[in-house]
Amino acid sequence: MLKLESWIGLESNPEVMTQYAEELGVSSSWGFTDCFGFDADALSYVPKPCVAAIFLYPFSLVEARKRAVGAQRGETNPRVWHMKQSVANACGAVAIMHAVMNNLDRLGRSSRFLDDFKDSTRSSSAEARGLAFAPAVREIHSGIAARGQTDAPRPTADLDFHFLSYVEVDNRLYELDGNNEGPIDCGPVEGDEFLHAVIDYIRREYVTPFPNAHFSLITLGPKSRGSFKDCAPSK
């Protein structure tokens, strides 16, 4: 049996994720930021426009419920860029790719890597994209995954937290997970209410069933002046 390749898992850290996106070629004027709560005051600190969100949740707990209720696993949508996860502990990297690849028309780039990867995999299946992704970013990942505020886990560590992404395409909210068969349509997005649509969905599908579990949300938007921790509320 072919042994699955394993990577060091990414820390849930917006600065590390921003560095990762920049190494992929995303403009340095965009970055990831922690969303510290779902109330109006916390959301005022999220840089706008928010174009994507990355959600971290306890995998085993949530996966058991999804299997019990027969949760959908998505379906192919040619309008939404999706890839399968082919490397163990690479869900953070896959989540970043889902966030940026579905926003290439909005994000500036410092290199052609993302455009070339999209062009070369345009007609590929989600599985083929996942297989092409690993060798393309392996070196980038190994150089960044060890950074962060905590000691990096072993590549073979059995990590029980999982990253997925939310993006808006054609005024619809989609959940993107490298473990799923395709994007999950989560409903409409009204006007500029993308982040509120994300939060409403997360509350309903994740927080309410598991009120005592640990979750985190990181958003992608214009990079704030100064540090990520000292940004002023968005107007």
Side-chain angles (χ1 to χ4, degrees):
M1 180 180 292
L2 184 65
K3 186 177 180 180
L4 184 67
E5 181 179 357
S6 295
W7 287 358
I8 297 173
L10 283 185
E11 182 177 273
S12 180
N13 182 318
E15 294 187 49
V16 171
M17 290 184 169
T18 296
Q19 292 167 6
Y20 204 115
E22 290 179 0
E23 288 291 328
L24 292 175
V26 173
S27 167
S28 59
S29 62
W30 292 81
F32 289 96
T33 306
D34 274 318
C35 182
F36 293 108
F38 292 168
D39 59 276
D41 183 61
L43 296 182
S44 71
Y45 285 87
V46 174
K48 296 177 175 59
C50 172
V51 300
I54 292 180
F55 182 57
L56 180 71
Y57 67 88
F59 180 77
S60 296
L61 187 68
V62 174
E63 184 65 17
R65 178 177 181 272
K66 286 184 177 182
R67 291 177 179 174
V69 302
Q72 65 164 317
R73 298 295 180 170
E75 58 185 25
T76 301
N77 182 333
R79 299 283 296 169
V80 184
W81 197 92
H82 175 254
M83 64 176 279
K84 293 278 284 184
Q85 181 179 334
S86 64
V87 178
N89 297 334
C91 59
V94 172
I96 291 173
M97 282 293 285
H98 281 148
V100 301
M101 292 297 280
N102 284 287
N103 283 288
L104 286 185
D105 59 334
R106 306 183 73 173
L107 304 174
R109 262 93 74 206
S110 61
S111 76
R112 286 281 312 170
F113 172 79
L114 293 171
D115 299 273
D116 291 344
F117 190 83
K118 185 173 185 178
D119 290 342
S120 65
T121 61
R122 189 177 302 278
S123 60
S124 301
S125 66
E127 290 82 2
R129 288 172 179 169
L131 292 173
F133 172 74
V137 304
R138 186 179 292 117
E139 185 174 345
I140 291 174
H141 187 94
S142 63
I144 292 179
R147 304 176 189 175
Q149 298 176 343
T150 59
D151 292 335
R154 302 185 313 278
T156 55
D158 185 13
L159 305 179
D160 194 44
F161 282 90
H162 188 66
F163 290 101
L164 53 78
S165 297
Y166 292 97
V167 300
E168 178 185 348
V169 178
D170 296 334
N171 301 314
R172 303 291 297 183
L173 176 66
Y174 290 94
E175 180 180 276
L176 297 170
D177 186 337
N179 286 340
N180 286 346
E181 297 305 312
I184 294 177
D185 188 336
C186 305
V189 177
E190 303 293 338
D192 297 326
E193 297 300 310
F194 166 72
L195 184 56
H196 290 283
V198 170
I199 289 171
D200 288 345
Y201 184 82
I202 288 173
R203 276 177 168 159
R204 182 173 67 250
E205 298 296 325
Y206 294 95
V207 179
T208 298
F210 305 104
N212 297 318
H214 173 75
F215 305 99
S216 69
L217 185 66
I218 294 176
T219 62
L220 175 60
K223 189 178 291 185
S224 302
R225 295 178 180 178
S227 73
F228 287 86
K229 298 178 181 179
D230 298 322
C231 56
S234 299
K235 302 294 185 182

